[in-house]
Amino acid sequence: MTAASPDARTNRLITAYEQLSPANLPTLLALYGERAAFKDPFNEVQGRDAIGRIFHHMFEALHDPRFRVAHSATEGDHAFLTWAFRFQRRAGSAELCIHGATHLVFSPDGLVALHRDYWDAAEELYMKLPVLGALMRGLRRRLGTPQPGLV
């Protein structure tokens, strides 16, 4: 575990994410309430089964996906994590890394009731893809504020 928290609920979740594999996905899902809500830049679902489908798809679509939590903070029933998600689009391709953050809300039974991921899909993903990345970098140059000495 990279980012230990004094909160047992948060620590269980961090451990489950850092050890996540298709074989132990049920361990992670058991930490979510039956009606838990999940949202990230590509998905917005409710229910443990729907959350499970997101992770099943991740394992089908990506090679060697893995999470490392860098920091965590818990106050009451709210937790905040910062993390790095590393993966390859296919075996042998270059490794990509997405940095992001997660806001969690725990229900009274200690299970996750709300999971909201925050990360910039344009910077963290689209700009790293071959064709789309070139277009995104061009847009960034045109729309960004010129920096002294870089014009």
Side-chain angles (χ1 to χ4, degrees):
M1 184 178 341
T2 307
S5 168
D7 186 88
R9 300 166 302 180
T10 304
N11 279 338
R12 282 191 296 271
L13 204 67
I14 291 170
T15 299
Y17 269 102
E18 290 192 339
Q19 296 176 358
L20 188 58
S21 71
N24 63 19
L25 180 56
T27 301
L28 173 70
L29 294 175
L31 300 175
Y32 285 78
E34 187 63 39
R35 304 281 306 140
F38 178 98
K39 183 173 171 71
D40 70 12
F42 298 117
N43 303 283
E44 184 170 7
V45 299
Q46 186 163 3
R48 189 183 297 147
D49 291 341
I51 295 168
R53 285 191 292 276
I54 290 169
F55 287 103
H56 282 293
H57 180 260
M58 175 190 77
F59 284 115
E60 290 172 0
L62 303 176
H63 179 74
D64 194 24
R66 61 203 179 283
F67 292 92
R68 288 294 170 257
V69 175
H71 302 282
S72 67
T74 305
E75 183 176 323
D77 289 333
H78 293 260
F80 183 78
L81 312 174
T82 60
W83 44 262
F85 174 58
R86 297 181 184 282
F87 62 95
Q88 295 171 294
R89 291 186 319 221
R90 61 188 171 283
S93 66
E95 183 177 86
L96 298 174
C97 180
I98 294 172
H99 293 91
T102 299
H103 174 222
L104 300 163
V105 178
F106 294 102
S107 60
D109 61 4
L111 299 177
V112 175
L114 171 69
H115 176 133
R116 174 77 192 261
D117 283 343
Y118 297 93
W119 53 277
D120 183 346
E123 179 179 351
E124 296 291 340
L125 184 61
Y126 302 149
M127 286 186 45
K128 296 174 184 176
L129 299 175
V131 176
L132 190 54
L135 293 170
M136 295 296 293
R137 288 187 295 276
L139 277 173
R140 186 180 213 180
R141 280 191 299 276
R142 289 193 82 202
L143 300 174
T145 304
Q147 299 298 311
L150 298 178
V151 179

